[in-house]
Structures are given as structure tokens and as C-alpha cells.
């Protein structure tokens, strides 16, 4: 049992990777569509490259979106609106009008013309309310037919037959003149206007209900293809009705309800493909990025980003499939390049795009656009911490999307009239969303404890609290660190290492000297040497201790592990040779191990560069009268000694790169000492 527990403990990193692999595969398979996948690509405007295709089952031919839209518009244009006719209002208006006649007209007039006036008012109101009075005017074309609802009956009438309130005055004036009542015009108009009120209103609810009913009854199919019928022959151009039939077959195939057995096989097939894709990514990391593969946090971060992009794309596709290009997929290679490197970022991006091909429509077009955009992202984005670079790169990515999409439309349609402006808008929105990469990188740094160039840029500020404290407590060490930072940055640029990381590591590598600053020669301002009162062994321990103290100070100030690595490795496992030599003079049996730094030795190009630059810069202060030849020999001697001690065995730096670093250090030191060519006398 104890052996099993020990084995489990030793292989916990491997078991975690297996668990992460399985969990990621399950989540991605869960997000994939569970219908069947149509096995043919439908190349619009191109010859059919497969064998003759026959209908595997009966299916209906779907109308195109344009046909459905045109049919709906025709229904809307021909739809007859409904108006409510209130039958109570005419009777009430007539009654009120007759009462108004007695109010408005004097008794002397009524004694002679009462019956005539009453008959005229009654006749006129009957004519007005024959089809009703509408408050609004000119809502529809005069010849437009409408339905007039009187109770449960609907009568079809022309819109012009309904009186409009705005036209009543002219109608009444004409009727009064025709009847010869000009002398009573004012009184009659007063009677009508005091009594008349609209009784016809637009019934929007019923109109819309009827319209929706007609729209819902639209048939989305036209005709049927019987099983066994030939759909298309090999070499036949896919266009027009053939294209619509093939799209109908694809839609029918993918929408079929599968049995439990079929469903399980589909899940099994998806699982194999997803596992295969993720396995390729793990194998790539194990072979070419082993340091990342060994770090479970980094592997988790990469898998998390893949799941995040798949989930985001799935949500957008479910919401509205036309917005699929709004998803800023290029954030994935941008983020991975910021934390790791371009090659891993592009490989992960391609794997993710292949997985997304199961989710999106027109998968070939989508994958082509996204892979091209990913390549452009990797090639164009450099020094992400510079805001201008990010904006320029996002502009280039968006332009590539637009050009690629334009080319696909031209190939598929053979014309540009079908281009949709809203698609280009989605590309612009996707480009703007890509700018979110900077705050996202900040969030990732806090969650996963990773370090990007943007954080390194902040740490390189010499006005930071820790570096200002170093400048106050150990000014000589601070000046030394600045010189080493300049040398390390130049050397890193020369061999294409991470120059920003090398510079930041150099700035902080000696912060441990703040603990006992006067025990280090660069901080001694008087002729008194603190080591004179100590034994060589005690002096060596104080010198060695600055590495341990530096690590403690760095952790207390929350410096990233990548920066702390420079503090741990900048002396490797070398010895404090000066005090070891003094101890040997006193005790011939002195052990070199007591004067050796704890290590580890450098394990990256950047930490190896720092070791070289630190040793050369510190030792260069001992040169009395430096010459060009003296500096060349001096640099060669120091770095060759480090190589002989095996300090660079784990740092993945080549002999050629070491020679390039030597060349840079020689040139920089000559510039520092202002050496010139010695002219003959």
C-alpha cells in the first residue's frame, strides 16, 4: 500500500495532466453539436467532385432565405388591416344633434323649419356614419381595402369611403350649400361639430394577429425529392436549384432525430477527434516545450484558453450565427505569445480552430480565415506592451479578415453585388474585441501567476519602491545593477532572447545586498573594509547570503518567480574565490564546498546571459589601465572559466550564442572605458 502511495505521489503531475486532458475533452465534446455531420462539402459555383449523389431518403426542398423574405414581404404588402366600427356612437350622435338643434336655433326659426332641419341633420349624419368616421387621416392609400368590424361581421370596404375627421368641415359645407341652407350655415355647423365624434378606430392587435397567422402559415419548402432520385452528377456545376437541393439535404441530414445507438456513436466519434487534437498539443509541448509541459499551471492555462474560446464561440453561434466572427479568436495566439512564445501560440490556435470547425457553419471558410488571421497575429504582433503595436496589429488582422472574406464571396458568387456590409461590421467588432487582450493578460497574470512583457515593463521602472530602496541603501549595487541590465539587454537582443526579461532580472539580481551593503566593495565609500575584522569563512558566508536574502526580499515584495530565478542563479554553483584563497593560506585543508554558492546553475538563455554580464561587469572594476586587447582577454577568461565549471549546461545556450555574447560584452566595455585606437607616434 505504501509503495502504491509513493508511486502515486511521484507521478502526481502526470495523473493531473491525464485528469486535465479527460476533463477538457469531455467539456469540448459536450459543447459540440450532437447531430450528424454531412460528409460532403458543397462548393457553390464549382463542379461536383464526388461521385453521383442519390437521395438517401425523401426530403423537402427548402426555400432560400431570399425567397422566404420576399414571400413574407408580399404578405405584408397585401395584408388588409382591420378597423373597429362602434355601432352605438351614430345613434347617440343623432340624438345629441337633434337636441343641439333646439339649443342652437331660435324658436322662431324652429317653428317654421324644424322638420326640414331635423331631416337634413339626420340624413347627413346617416351618410357620414354609413362607413364610419375616422379620427386619423391618410393612413393608407385611398384605394386600399380594409376590413370594417361591426360586431362579429367584417365588411370589406375601400379606405376612401370612410370619412376622415379632417375632411368633415368641407363635406358639411358642401352639403349645406346643396340643400340651400346657406342662411343657417353657421348654426348647422355648430350643431354638427358639437355632436359628431369618430366611431372607427384601427384595430392594431387583431391586424397583427392575422398578419402573424399568415406569416406562420408560410411554407418553407417547395417540392420534394424522393428517395433514390439523382441529386447531382459528378462534374456538374453546383449552382442555382442544385445548390438549394444540396443545402436542403444537408439541413435534413443534420436535423434528423437520432436513436440512442446512433447518438452514442456520434459522441464516440467526436471524443476520438477531440482527444486526438488535444493529444497532438500535449505531444508538441512535450517534444518542443518540455519546460512548459512539466509545469501543470501552464498546461492548465493553455487548456483553459482553448475551452474558453470554444465556449464563447458556442454561445455566439447559439445566440446568432451571423455574429460568429465577432468572437476575437486571435486573442488566443496573442495571449500565448505574450506568456510563452509564437510557435506554441500558433500551434494551439490551429488546434482550437480545428475543434471549432465542428461548431460553425461553412467550416472550411471559417477555418481558412481564422488560421490566416492567427498567422498574421503571430507575425505582426511584437512588443505587446507598446500600445501602438497592438492597434497596428489589430488593424492588420481585421484587414486580412475582410480581404479573405471578400475573396471567398467572389469565388462562391462570381460577383460582388451579394456582399453584405454587416459582415464587414462583424469583422470590425471582432477587431475591437481583440483590444481586450491587454486587460485579459492582466487578469491571467493574477489568476495563474504568469508574467508577461507588460508586467516586466512595469518592473523595469527604476522609480519602483524596491529599486529606490536599493538605490538608497546600496547605491553602488544599484549602479552596478543598471550597468549589468544594459549589458544583459544588449546581449539578449543579439541572440534573440527575451531582452525585457533579461533587463528586469539584472535590475533585481543583487537586491539581497541591501541586508549588509557595506560588506560589498561597490558600496564602500571609505578605506575601512568590514571584512578585515572577519575570518575568510565568515566573510564568504555573508557574501553567499546575499542570494538567500535576495530571494526573501523578492518574495516579500511579490516579485514574479521568473524574476526570482535570476536572483537564485546569477552565481550558479561558483565559489567565492577571493576568500577561499585567503582561507587556503591559513588552512591548507579548507574545503571549496564551504565557499560555494548554493545554486542552481542557470537554466535559461536569459539567466545565463545575466551570469556572464554580472561577472564581467563586476570584475571590470579591477582593471587599472584597460586596453582593447586587455578587455578581450579579460572577457574570454571569465566566461571560459564559467563554461569550464559547467555553469551553462542547463541553460539551452549554444557555443555560437556564447561567442556572440562575448562580442557584445567586449564592445560595450570598450565603449564604457572610452577606448580609442592607439595612433603611432
Amino acid at each position: 500500500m505504501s509503495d502504491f502511495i509513493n508511486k502515486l505521489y511521484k507521478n502526481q503531475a502526470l495523473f493531473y495532466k491525464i485528469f486535465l486532458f479527460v476533463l477538457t475533452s469531455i467539456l469540448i465534446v459536450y459543447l459540440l453539436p450532437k447531430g450528424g455531420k454531412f460528409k460532403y462539402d458543397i462548393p457553390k459555383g464549382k463542379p461536383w467532385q464526388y461521385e453521383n449523389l442519390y437521395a438517401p431518403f425523401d426530403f423537402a426542398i427548402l426555400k432560400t432565405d431570399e425567397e422566404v423574405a420576399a414571400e413574407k414581404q408580399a404578405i405584408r404588402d397585401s395584408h388588409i388591416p382591420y378597423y373597429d366600427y362602434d355601432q352605438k356612437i351614430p345613434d347617440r350622435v343623432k340624438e345629441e344633434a337633434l337636441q343641439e338643434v333646439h339649443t342652437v336655433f331660435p324658436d322662431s326659426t324652429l317653428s317654421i323649419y324644424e322638420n326640414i332641419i331635423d331631416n337634413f341633420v339626420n340624413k347627413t349624419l346617416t351618410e357620414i356614419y354609413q362607413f364610419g368616421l375616422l379620427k386619423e387621416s391618410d393612413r393608407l392609400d385611398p384605394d386600399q381595402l380594409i376590413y370594417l368590424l361591426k360586431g362579429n361581421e367584417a365588411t370589406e370596404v375601400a379606405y376612401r369611403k370612410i370619412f376622415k375627421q379632417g375632411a368633415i368641415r368641407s363635406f358639411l359645407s358642401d352639403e349645406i350649400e346643396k340643400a340651400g341652407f346657406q342662411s343657417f350655415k353657421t348654426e348647422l355647423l355648430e350643431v354638427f361639430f358639437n355632436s359628431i365624434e369618430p366611431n372607427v378606430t384601427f384595430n392594431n392587435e387583431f391586424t397583427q394577429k392575422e398578419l402573424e397567422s399568415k406569416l406562420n402559415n408560410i411554407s418553407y419548402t417547395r417540392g420534394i425529392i424522393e428517395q433514390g432520385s439523382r441529386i447531382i452528377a459528378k462534374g456538374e456545376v453546383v449552382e442555382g436549384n442544385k445548390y438549394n437541393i444540396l443545402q436542403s439535404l444537408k439541413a435534413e441530414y443534420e436535423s434528423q432525430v437520432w436513436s440512442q445507438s446512433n447518438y452514442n456513436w456520434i459522441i464516440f466519434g467526436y471524443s476520438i477527434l477531440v482527444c486526438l487534437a488535444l493529444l497532438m498539443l500535449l505531444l508538441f509541448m512535450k517534444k518542443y516545450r518540455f519546460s512548459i509541459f512539466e509545469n501543470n499551471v501552464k498546461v492548465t492555462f493553455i487548456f483553459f484558453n482553448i475551452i474558453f474560446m470554444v465556449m464563447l464561440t458556442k454561445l455566439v453561434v447559439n445566440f446568432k450565427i451571423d455574429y460568429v466572427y465577432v468572437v476575437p479568436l486571435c486573442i488566443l495566439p496573442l495571449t500565448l505569445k505574450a506568456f510563452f512564445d509564437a510557435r506554441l501560440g500558433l500551434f494551439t490556435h490551429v488546434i482550437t480552430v480545428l475543434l471549432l470547425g465542428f461548431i460553425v457553419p461553412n467550416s472550411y471558410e471559417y477555418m481558412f480565415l481564422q488560421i490566416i488571421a492567427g498567422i498574421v497575429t503571430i507575425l505582426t504582433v511584437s512588443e505587446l506592451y507598446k500600445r501602438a503595436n497592438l492597434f497596428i496589429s489589430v488593424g492588420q488582422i481585421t484587414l486580412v479578415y475582410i480581404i479573405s472574406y471578400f475573396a471567398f464571396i467572389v469565388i462562391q458568387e462570381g460577383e460582388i453585388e451579394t456582399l453584405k456590409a454587416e459582415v464587414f461590421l462583424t469583422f470590425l467588432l471582432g477587431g475591437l474585441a481583440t483590444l481586450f487582450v491587454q486587460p485579459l493578460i492582466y487578469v491571467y497574470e493574477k489568476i495563474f501567476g504568469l508574467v508577461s512583457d507588460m508586467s516586466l515593463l512595469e518592473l523595469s521602472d527604476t522609480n519602483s519602491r524596491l529599486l529606490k530602496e536599493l538605490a538608497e541603501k546600496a547605491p553602488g549595487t544599484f549602479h552596478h545593477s543598471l550597468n549589468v541590465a544594459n549589458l544583459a539587454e544588449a546581449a539578449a537582443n543579439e541572440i534573440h532572447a527575451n531582452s525585457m526579461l533579461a533587463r528586469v532580472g539584472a535590475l533585481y539580481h543583487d537586491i539581497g545586498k541591501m541586508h549588509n551593503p557595506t560588506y560589498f566593495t561597490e558600496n564602500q565609500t571609505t578605506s575601512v573594509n568590514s571584512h578585515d575584522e572577519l575570518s575568510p569563512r565568515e566573510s564568504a558566508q555573508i557574501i553567499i547570503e546575499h542570494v538567500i536574502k535576495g530571494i526573501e526580499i523578492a518574495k516579500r515584495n511579490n516579485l514574479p518567480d521568473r524574476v526570482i530565478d535570476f536572483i537564485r542563479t546569477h552565481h550558479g554553483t561558483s565559489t567565492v574565490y577571493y576568500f577561499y584563497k585567503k582561507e587556503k593560506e591559513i588552512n591548507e585543508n579548507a574545503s571549496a564546498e564551504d565557499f560555494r554558492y548554493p545554486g542552481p546553475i542557470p537554466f535559461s538563455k536569459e539567466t545565463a546571459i545575466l551570469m556572464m554580464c554580472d561577472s564581467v561587469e563586476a570584475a571590470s572594476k579591477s582593471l587599472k589601465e584597460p586596453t582593447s586587447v586587455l578587455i578581450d582577454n579579460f572577457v574570454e577568461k571569465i566566461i571560459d572559466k564559467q563554461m569550464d565549471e559547467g555553469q551553462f549546461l542547463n541553460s539551452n545556450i549554444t557555443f555560437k550564442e556564447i561567442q556572440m555574447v562575448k562580442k557584445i560584452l567586449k564592445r560595450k566595455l570598450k565603449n564604457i572605458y572610452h577606448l580609442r585606437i592607439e595612433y603611432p607616434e
Side-chain angles (χ1 to χ4, degrees):
M1 185 66 182
S2 60
D3 291 340
F4 174 76
I5 293 173
N6 290 334
K7 190 175 181 180
L8 186 66
Y9 179 77
K10 289 178 182 178
N11 296 289
Q12 59 178 324
L14 178 61
F15 290 137
Y16 175 79
K17 288 184 183 68
I18 294 172
F19 167 75
L20 182 65
F21 174 83
V22 172
L23 179 63
T24 305
S25 301
I26 291 171
L27 287 174
I28 293 175
V29 170
Y30 175 76
L31 293 170
L32 296 181
K34 301 305 185 295
K37 194 74 177 176
F38 194 58
K39 62 181 178 179
Y40 301 108
D41 286 325
I42 304 176
K44 187 176 182 181
K46 293 183 179 180
W48 182 254
Q49 298 177 350
Y50 309 99
E51 296 299 324
N52 294 354
L53 179 62
Y54 297 89
F57 43 74
D58 294 343
F59 67 94
I61 304 172
L62 298 175
K63 295 178 182 176
T64 64
D65 292 340
E66 291 76 14
E67 288 174 333
V68 173
E71 195 170 332
K72 286 183 177 181
Q73 190 58 46
I75 290 174
R76 291 189 185 96
D77 293 340
S78 62
H79 182 61
I80 299 176
Y82 285 81
Y83 285 80
D84 287 324
Y85 183 95
D86 192 334
Q87 296 174 305
K88 296 178 181 179
I89 290 179
D91 295 334
R92 188 175 69 245
V93 168
K94 288 180 181 180
E95 185 178 338
E96 291 177 357
L98 293 177
Q99 292 176 359
E100 282 292 321
V101 168
H102 289 276
T103 304
V104 172
F105 283 90
D107 292 338
S108 57
T109 304
L110 290 176
S111 61
I112 302 173
Y113 300 105
E114 181 177 0
N115 290 334
I116 297 174
I117 292 172
D118 287 347
N119 290 337
F120 173 77
V121 169
N122 191 58
K123 173 179 168 298
T124 304
L125 290 176
T126 299
E127 187 172 350
I128 290 172
Y129 286 106
Q130 180 181 359
F131 298 105
L133 175 62
L134 186 65
K135 185 175 183 179
E136 56 189 88
S137 59
D138 300 329
R139 178 184 176 88
L140 303 173
D141 184 86
D143 294 325
Q144 169 77 48
L145 293 176
I146 66 164
Y147 284 120
L148 206 58
L149 291 171
K150 294 182 178 180
N152 295 325
E153 295 182 5
T155 307
E156 191 177 275
V157 299
Y159 183 68
R160 65 172 178 273
K161 291 185 177 181
I162 299 177
F163 276 95
K164 318 302 184 296
Q165 197 166 21
I168 280 293
R169 185 178 187 87
S170 59
F171 170 76
L172 291 174
S173 297
D174 291 342
E175 291 299 309
I176 290 171
E177 290 180 7
K178 287 179 185 178
F181 291 134
Q182 289 90 341
S183 56
F184 303 135
K185 183 176 181 179
T186 303
E187 290 83 358
L188 286 172
L189 287 175
E190 185 178 351
V191 168
F192 285 121
F193 283 121
N194 286 342
S195 309
I196 287 177
E197 62 177 289
N199 75 319
V200 175
T201 54
F202 176 60
N203 191 328
N204 183 63
E205 182 180 352
F206 197 75
T207 300
Q208 291 300 319
K209 187 176 179 181
E210 285 293 304
L211 177 60
E212 288 174 10
S213 176
K214 290 180 180 178
L215 293 175
N216 291 335
N217 288 330
I218 287 179
S219 173
Y220 286 83
T221 62
R222 51 174 177 79
I224 192 170
I225 300 294
E226 295 181 356
Q227 183 178 359
S229 303
R230 192 177 74 177
I231 297 173
I232 193 167
K234 184 177 182 179
E236 195 173 349
V237 178
V238 180
E239 59 183 357
N241 192 48
K242 293 288 184 184
Y243 177 76
N244 293 338
I245 293 173
L246 285 169
Q247 289 287 7
S248 301
L249 175 60
K250 180 181 179 181
E252 181 69 23
Y253 188 83
E254 293 181 348
S255 65
Q256 285 184 350
V257 179
W258 298 91
S259 66
Q260 187 62 39
S261 175
N262 295 134
Y263 182 83
N264 292 337
W265 278 111
I266 290 171
I267 295 296
F268 180 68
Y270 273 139
S271 300
I272 291 175
L273 293 176
V274 171
C275 289
L276 194 61
L278 295 178
L279 182 61
M280 293 304 104
L281 179 58
L282 284 174
L283 291 176
F284 173 85
M285 286 190 285
K286 185 176 182 181
K287 185 172 179 63
Y288 298 106
R289 298 294 182 271
F290 191 70
S291 60
I292 296 174
F293 179 80
E294 282 187 314
N295 191 317
N296 282 339
V297 173
K298 292 179 179 178
V299 176
T300 303
F301 172 72
I302 293 170
F303 276 53
F304 171 80
N305 274 275
I306 294 173
I307 294 172
F308 177 67
M309 284 301 165
V310 173
M311 189 177 297
L312 190 60
T313 304
K314 178 67 174 178
L315 287 173
V316 172
V317 168
N318 288 346
F319 173 70
K320 190 167 185 181
I321 207 163
D322 295 338
Y323 295 159
V324 68
Y325 287 106
V326 175
V327 179
L329 199 62
C330 288
I331 280 183
L332 180 61
L334 271 175
T335 305
L336 296 183
K337 185 180 179 182
F339 288 117
F340 307 120
D341 62 86
R343 193 174 177 185
L344 177 60
L346 182 58
F347 195 90
T348 307
H349 177 72
V350 171
I351 292 294
T352 306
V353 171
L354 291 176
L355 293 174
L356 291 175
F358 294 120
I359 297 176
V360 299
N362 300 322
S363 55
Y364 175 77
E365 175 187 320
Y366 177 85
M367 289 191 292
F368 184 92
L369 262 65
Q370 295 293 8
I371 290 174
I372 290 294
I375 293 172
V376 171
T377 302
I378 293 297
L379 293 178
T380 60
V381 177
S382 59
E383 298 178 325
L384 192 61
Y385 55 86
K386 294 181 180 179
R387 289 172 295 180
N389 288 358
L390 180 60
F391 278 97
I392 292 170
S393 297
V394 167
Q396 292 170 332
I397 293 165
T398 306
L399 183 62
V400 166
Y401 271 128
I402 292 173
I403 292 173
S404 303
Y405 176 76
F406 174 82
F408 266 103
I409 290 297
V410 170
I411 291 171
Q412 293 170 354
E413 304 293 341
E415 57 184 20
I416 61 173
E417 285 77 8
T418 55
L419 286 174
K420 297 178 181 178
E422 56 267 24
V423 178
F424 296 112
L425 181 61
T426 62
F427 292 138
L428 292 175
L429 292 174
L432 291 175
T434 306
L435 295 175
F436 187 69
V437 68
Q438 284 194 330
L440 189 63
I441 286 174
Y442 175 80
V443 172
Y444 283 155
E445 286 178 334
K446 299 304 178 186
I447 295 175
F448 293 95
L450 301 172
V451 182
S452 69
D453 284 352
M454 284 180 278
S455 290
L456 293 175
L457 180 65
E458 294 174 2
L459 291 170
S460 68
D461 183 7
T462 53
N463 287 316
S464 65
R465 187 183 60 80
L466 189 55
L467 290 180
K468 285 177 78 173
E469 185 181 353
L470 177 64
E472 291 173 6
K473 292 183 177 180
T477 300
F478 177 72
H479 185 261
H480 160 72
S481 298
L482 286 177
N483 289 337
V484 174
N486 292 331
L487 293 173
E489 184 177 20
N493 280 324
E494 187 69 17
I495 66 171
H496 305 294
N498 190 331
S499 58
M500 179 66 71
L501 179 61
R503 179 176 183 82
V504 172
L507 287 172
Y508 291 91
H509 78 283
D510 269 345
I511 56 174
K513 291 181 180 180
M514 287 192 292
H515 183 61
N516 285 313
T518 57
Y519 284 89
F520 300 90
T521 55
E522 67 265 24
N523 299 313
Q524 294 171 358
T525 56
T526 65
S527 58
V528 178
N529 191 333
S530 302
H531 291 284
D532 293 342
E533 299 177 359
L534 301 174
S535 68
R537 191 181 297 271
E538 290 173 329
S539 295
Q541 289 306 310
I542 290 174
I543 298 299
I544 292 172
E545 196 179 41
H546 88 274
V547 173
I548 308 301
K549 292 295 182 184
I551 295 172
E552 292 175 359
I553 293 170
K555 289 186 175 180
R556 219 167 31 240
N557 287 271
N558 297 318
L559 289 185
D561 288 340
R562 288 179 75 186
V563 177
I564 296 175
D565 288 341
F566 286 86
I567 302 173
R568 295 165 55 212
T569 61
H570 74 278
H571 285 297
T573 56
S574 60
T575 56
V576 186
Y577 191 73
Y578 177 79
F579 291 108
Y580 172 61
K581 194 84 168 164
K582 287 185 69 176
E583 181 68 16
K584 287 283 283 186
E585 293 173 0
I586 301 170
N587 178 14
E588 289 184 0
N589 297 322
S591 173
E593 294 303 316
D594 295 333
F595 295 84
R596 193 178 299 280
Y597 284 97
I601 60 176
F603 45 79
S604 68
K605 290 182 180 181
E606 291 79 14
T607 51
I609 288 170
L610 175 62
M611 173 178 275
M612 290 185 263
C613 295
D614 181 43
S615 301
V616 167
E617 201 284 332
S620 68
K621 298 294 189 293
S622 63
L623 296 174
K624 302 299 182 186
E625 295 180 0
T627 63
S628 180
V629 175
L630 183 62
I631 287 176
D632 287 350
N633 294 333
F634 169 79
V635 172
E636 291 285 345
K637 179 182 176 182
I638 290 177
I639 296 179
D640 286 348
K641 184 174 183 295
Q642 291 173 338
M643 292 174 65
D644 291 340
E645 292 176 352
Q647 299 294 333
F648 305 137
L649 290 178
N650 295 340
S651 58
N652 195 31
I653 191 168
T654 64
F655 284 115
K656 181 180 179 180
E657 288 170 336
I658 291 174
Q659 290 302 118
M660 294 168 71
V661 172
K662 286 180 181 179
K663 184 179 176 182
I664 287 292
L665 293 177
K666 291 171 185 177
R667 189 173 74 231
K668 288 290 182 181
L669 285 177
K670 290 171 187 176
N671 291 337
I672 291 171
Y673 288 106
H674 306 290
L675 296 183
R676 297 181 181 177
I677 297 172
E678 295 182 7
Y679 294 97
E681 294 182 0

